[in-house]
Amino acid sequence: MSIPTIIIAEDEDALATLLQYNLEKEGYRVLIAGDGEEALMVIDEQKPDILLLDWMLPKVSGIEVCRRLRQKTETRNLPILMLTARGEESDRIRGLDTGADDYVVKPFSMTELMARIRAVLRRIRPGLADDRLSHGDIIVDRVAHRVKRQGREVHLGPTEFRLLDHLIQHPGRVFSREQLLDAVWGSDVYVEARTVDVHIGRLRKALNNATEVDPIRTVRSAGYSLDMEA
Ligand code: CA
């Protein structure tokens, strides 16, 4: 996917700047709006992929921004991550009622926020909307959490399932161990890169019987891809 654009609607300049710095470091494109009215305008013009929405905003409040975005077809599905102050429990509930997708409570850690944003991005990746994905003779049923190859049931552990699920969304694309760690384990978890090799090994063992082509390609010093043609 192309570089995701995140809009920060936050009237505390210091926090907005800190968020911008951290998000840009992670490779996102960042837009900033200092009040609710500006946020709505920028969203309309720039069509960002995610909105980080402070609840207490001048001009148009966070809850009102949320409500208006949900009313419009073009922004009905824009992922909204609320930033709320500690203790504002009723705001959080109202926010989720109004259509926010998730919230973080201030003060939050950047690690936590980044993990939430990544989770949202995983949800909005187009492939993720499909219930069944297939590549070659492999079928992943993402609702039932079942995998079949040539019609036979393949039994996978939860990590192997997530690995395959990630790879099958982007057939042919090579992922580094670090990218797979981020996507499958989450980057807030510390796992050694070679753990990926262990789970790829298990995934292969489960997927392939003696006569079948190994669908997972090892790309030396680069990573892995799911690639039947290779
Ligand atoms: Ca505020």
Side-chain angles (χ1 to χ4, degrees):
M1 87 195 259
S2 57
I3 298 171
T5 301
I6 300 186
I7 173 162
I8 304 167
E10 170 62 72
D11 59 321
E12 286 167 54
D13 288 344
L15 180 56
T17 308
L18 181 70
L19 286 169
Q20 179 175 26
Y21 170 80
N22 281 280
L23 288 165
E24 284 178 349
K25 212 170 65 180
E26 293 269 316
Y28 298 108
R29 183 171 157 249
V30 178
L31 307 167
I32 291 185
D35 61 62
E37 203 177 273
E38 195 188 347
L40 288 167
M41 212 176 64
V42 176
I43 290 165
D44 196 44
E45 285 169 1
Q46 305 270 332
K47 318 248 179 304
D49 299 295
I50 302 186
L51 165 62
L52 291 191
L53 179 62
D54 178 31
W55 223 223
M56 305 291 276
L57 280 177
K59 295 192 186 170
V60 179
S61 72
I63 201 156
E64 187 53 30
V65 169
C66 208
R67 186 175 294 132
R68 288 195 205 170
L69 290 172
R70 288 304 180 241
Q71 278 166 359
K72 288 170 69 181
T73 320
E74 346 32 302
T75 51
R76 184 161 295 148
N77 298 316
L78 173 70
I80 302 175
L81 196 61
M82 277 198 285
L83 310 175
T84 72
R86 192 173 290 284
E88 292 173 340
E89 187 69 40
S90 59
D91 281 358
R92 261 170 261 157
I93 293 162
R94 275 205 309 166
L96 294 175
D97 280 350
T98 319
D101 296 275
D102 202 356
Y103 64 85
V104 286
V105 180
K106 291 178 183 177
F108 47 80
S109 76
M110 280 299 156
T111 316
E112 182 194 357
L113 183 67
M114 296 301 155
R116 299 288 188 94
I117 291 171
R118 268 190 296 270
V120 168
L121 280 173
R122 274 198 291 272
R123 280 208 296 275
I124 62 171
R125 228 180 251 157
L128 225 54
D130 300 334
D131 291 344
R132 276 161 73 99
L133 294 174
S134 63
H135 181 64
D137 54 9
I138 299 169
I139 300 168
V140 175
D141 181 332
R142 316 170 80 200
V143 176
H145 267 244
R146 288 165 82 170
V147 175
K148 285 189 170 176
R149 183 162 192 195
Q150 295 203 5
R152 77 165 188 280
E153 193 93 25
V154 175
H155 298 282
L156 298 179
T159 305
E160 286 72 39
F161 183 87
R162 288 202 301 275
L163 256 177
L164 177 62
D165 185 59
H166 184 70
L167 291 170
I168 206 165
Q169 286 176 62
H170 317 271
R173 186 168 139 192
V174 180
F175 290 97
S176 68
R177 289 170 180 80
E178 288 70 26
Q179 285 171 329
L180 290 173
L181 282 175
D182 269 11
V184 174
W185 281 262
S187 67
D188 43 340
V189 182
Y190 182 76
V191 185
E192 278 185 68
R194 66 160 189 260
T195 306
V196 175
D197 303 340
V198 173
H199 287 276
I200 288 280
R202 287 186 197 160
L203 178 58
R204 277 189 168 128
K205 205 171 162 198
L207 278 177
N208 308 339
N209 70 20
T211 58
E212 287 164 344
V213 176
D214 182 2
I216 299 170
R217 190 157 62 96
T218 304
V219 182
R220 262 189 76 168
S221 74
Y224 297 100
S225 77
L226 188 70
D227 207 343
M228 284 294 198
E229 328 307 319

